[in-house]
Amino acid sequence: MALAGALLLAALTACTGDEKAYSLFAPEIFYVPANGGKKVFPLRVDGPGPYISRARRLTVDVEAGSEGAVRLRDDSTNCRGSATHVVCEGSAASLLGLTTDAFAPLAAKGSRPGDSGYLRLTYAMTDGGKLTARTRVVVGEPVLELLTPAPGQGVRPGAEVTYPTVVRNAGDVPVRGLALVVNAGDLQFVQRYANCRYPDLQHGSQAVCSFPGVRIAPGKSVTVRPALRLRASRTTMYGSFGRMVWPLKAGPGPNQTVSEGGAHGDGPALRAEAVRTPHGRFTKAGDHVDVLLATGADYAVSGADLRGDPGDTRKVRLTVRNNGPGNPGYSTRLVFTPPPGTDVLKEPMTEIDEDEYEPYCDNDGSTYTCDVEGLEPGKARTFEFTLRLGEPATGSVRLEGQGSGPSGSPAPDDRSGRHDPDPGNDEAAVDVTG
């Protein structure tokens, strides 16, 4: 994964000598809080392969005429300077990172939202060459939020679905240019759009869309048209897809990453059109939209008949099978109550480190509770126990719900979240007979 800003970040100048293939990337626009708060500044040096050598020097200057809008703050023992000129020196590793807090552009005293100025960044290489970049610093921030739709009553497996994409600017300055990323997740794209690229690394599951001409004033919203067309999974009962937004020229935030490259779609271009801000829940920077299928999963559990005398050792295999048609994810637990008088000699184990194991199931002294991972229709999971038999007696094995689907959404029923069409096979006896 690489920062999407690699496609959006500002100018560079090649240096000479052995380092001529290296480039300095900084954001074209950088927004700073009007109240003087600090933000991490994204700065990156790109080049062919690892390159660690003697110390280098980064010089940051506030351009003449910009002093009323932006100042610099020295936050590192490797930096020194003033409010308009800072020099940072340190190891190559410290200056080749994806972000830096060695210096921080801040709003100048007396500046107002919308004021702006320019930084000039110069990176001196060990052979005497230089890399340069220029960033416009804007006082105030656009705060982009997405309208997150509430989960519906369930969609038909494999059906085409559309969801509105409404973006609101809750900040104090306008945004010019919008980036939208959609990660299809458990769904698939039905249509690929001309102003979106689809990175090969994501195998068609990610769309990176650009709207360079859009302007969103503070308090205003836009909606994306036509609505994105997606196809729901045929089996994943608790699916979701994700979305991210950011100001196009500023690049993504610290936790927003996308893959590089990819061809553009062959469909129509998406448009961002002004719309009256609707009521609903808005989520800052990105969200996940739950897509619930209107289907169920018939989980069935097998019991056992253990024949033998007291003191004999027997293995019991308790199998959970999904008879379909859906996959409810991590929504189910197996609860095994051994027959009275029976001792458990071995239980399922899980590897937590190399050659280090711990019990897979929880044991409260009388029952063993084991998580059942999501099973595709037709698949099964078996839990094996080794028992020392006692006198004839009857134990049980049953299935119970986890209480939520895999994305954390509340289970749609109080049994398991499986919408199990045949709950009669959710329990079975484990008998010890002579």
Side-chain angles (χ1 to χ4, degrees), residues 336-378:
F336 172 43
T337 303
T342 299
D343 296 322
V344 176
L345 304 180
K346 291 183 180 179
E347 61 181 292
M349 304 292 286
T350 185
E351 187 173 15
I352 59 173
D353 204 345
E354 186 175 359
D355 297 325
E356 186 176 350
Y357 297 83
E358 69 177 11
Y360 179 80
C361 306
D362 294 331
N363 176 18
D364 66 1
S366 61
T367 63
Y368 292 80
T369 302
C370 315
D371 288 337
V372 181
E373 72 273 16
L375 298 173
E376 286 294 326

Side-chain angles (χ1 to χ4, degrees), residues 144-211:
L144 297 183
E145 301 176 330
L146 281 158
L147 176 65
T148 302
Q153 295 301 310
V155 302
R156 180 172 52 84
E160 182 177 320
V161 294
T162 58
Y163 290 88
T165 301
V166 177
V167 182
R168 178 176 69 182
N169 181 5
D172 50 12
V173 296
V175 61
R176 294 176 173 84
L178 174 69
L180 166 68
V181 175
V182 181
N183 292 302
D186 301 297
L187 288 76
Q188 295 178 334
F189 292 112
V190 173
Q191 176 75 69
R192 295 193 175 199
Y193 299 95
N195 55 333
C196 304
R197 58 181 181 84
Y198 298 82
D200 295 337
L201 186 62
Q202 301 302 319
H203 306 290
S205 67
Q206 185 178 77
V208 184
C209 309
S210 300
F211 304 86

Side-chain angles (χ1 to χ4, degrees), residues 151-163 187 230-237 239 290-296:
Q153 295 301 310
V155 302
R156 180 172 52 84
E160 182 177 320
V161 294
T162 58
Y163 290 88
L187 288 76
L230 298 164
R231 189 171 304 284
S233 169
R234 294 189 179 277
T235 60
T236 303
M237 294 171 57
D290 291 327
V291 180
L292 311 182
L293 295 189
T295 189

Side-chain angles (χ1 to χ4, degrees), residues 231-257:
R231 189 171 304 284
S233 169
R234 294 189 179 277
T235 60
T236 303
M237 294 171 57
Y238 299 94
S240 67
F241 66 93
R243 305 179 297 184
M244 298 183 292
V245 288
W246 60 78
L248 183 62
K249 292 183 179 180
N255 298 317
Q256 295 175 315
T257 59

Side-chain angles (χ1 to χ4, degrees), residues 25-334:
F25 288 87
E28 184 176 343
I29 293 179
F30 187 71
Y31 296 97
V32 295
N35 62 8
K38 172 187 169 184
K39 289 174 58 180
V40 173
F41 187 85
L43 181 67
R44 189 173 83 249
V45 176
D46 275 353
Y51 186 81
I52 305 238
S53 61
R54 297 186 300 274
R56 300 163 176 172
R57 184 175 67 255
L58 173 69
T59 303
V60 186
D61 291 293
V62 175
E63 293 188 358
S66 300
E67 301 89 344
V70 60
R71 64 184 178 91
L72 300 174
R73 175 179 171 185
D74 173 6
D75 279 323
S76 170
T77 56
N78 291 327
C79 297
R80 65 185 186 278
S82 66
T84 58
H85 175 80
V86 167
V87 177
C88 302
E89 296 184 270
S91 68
S94 68
L95 292 180
L96 282 173
L98 291 172
T99 59
T100 180
D101 57 4
F103 67 92
L106 301 172
K109 185 176 181 180
S111 62
R112 296 181 178 182
D115 292 346
S116 66
Y118 287 90
L119 297 183
R120 172 69 62 174
L121 301 100
T122 305
Y123 192 45
M125 309 293 280
T126 53
D127 70 343
K130 294 180 179 179
L131 306 177
T132 63
R134 188 172 186 250
T135 295
R136 180 184 175 214
V137 179
V138 177
V139 178
E141 298 178 282
V143 178
L144 297 183
E145 301 176 330
L146 281 158
L147 176 65
T148 302
Q153 295 301 310
V155 302
R156 180 172 52 84
E160 182 177 320
V161 294
T162 58
Y163 290 88
T165 301
V166 177
V167 182
R168 178 176 69 182
N169 181 5
D172 50 12
V173 296
V175 61
R176 294 176 173 84
L178 174 69
L180 166 68
V181 175
V182 181
N183 292 302
D186 301 297
L187 288 76
Q188 295 178 334
F189 292 112
V190 173
Q191 176 75 69
R192 295 193 175 199
Y193 299 95
N195 55 333
C196 304
R197 58 181 181 84
Y198 298 82
D200 295 337
L201 186 62
Q202 301 302 319
H203 306 290
S205 67
Q206 185 178 77
V208 184
C209 309
S210 300
F211 304 86
V214 70
R215 181 183 186 276
I216 313 174
K220 301 298 183 180
S221 299
V222 298
T223 188
V224 173
R225 293 193 174 109
L228 291 169
R229 298 168 59 196
L230 298 164
R231 189 171 304 284
S233 169
R234 294 189 179 277
T235 60
T236 303
M237 294 171 57
Y238 299 94
S240 67
F241 66 93
R243 305 179 297 184
M244 298 183 292
V245 288
W246 60 78
L248 183 62
K249 292 183 179 180
N255 298 317
Q256 295 175 315
T257 59
V258 298
S259 297
E260 297 180 358
H264 285 73
D266 56 3
L270 294 171
R271 310 180 306 276
E273 300 178 353
V275 67
R276 184 181 221 174
T277 301
H279 295 290
R281 179 171 67 91
F282 281 83
T283 305
K284 181 180 177 181
D287 64 4
H288 281 85
V289 180
D290 291 327
V291 180
L292 311 182
L293 295 189
T295 189
D298 175 20
Y299 273 31
V301 65
S302 62
D305 186 3
L306 307 173
R307 297 180 179 274
D309 297 324
D312 288 350
T313 299
R314 296 288 185 270
K315 290 182 179 180
V316 58
R317 294 169 59 83
L318 306 175
T319 298
V320 182
R321 177 174 295 278
N322 181 6
N323 296 322
N327 176 359
Y330 286 83
S331 63
T332 303
R333 294 187 290 250
L334 175 143

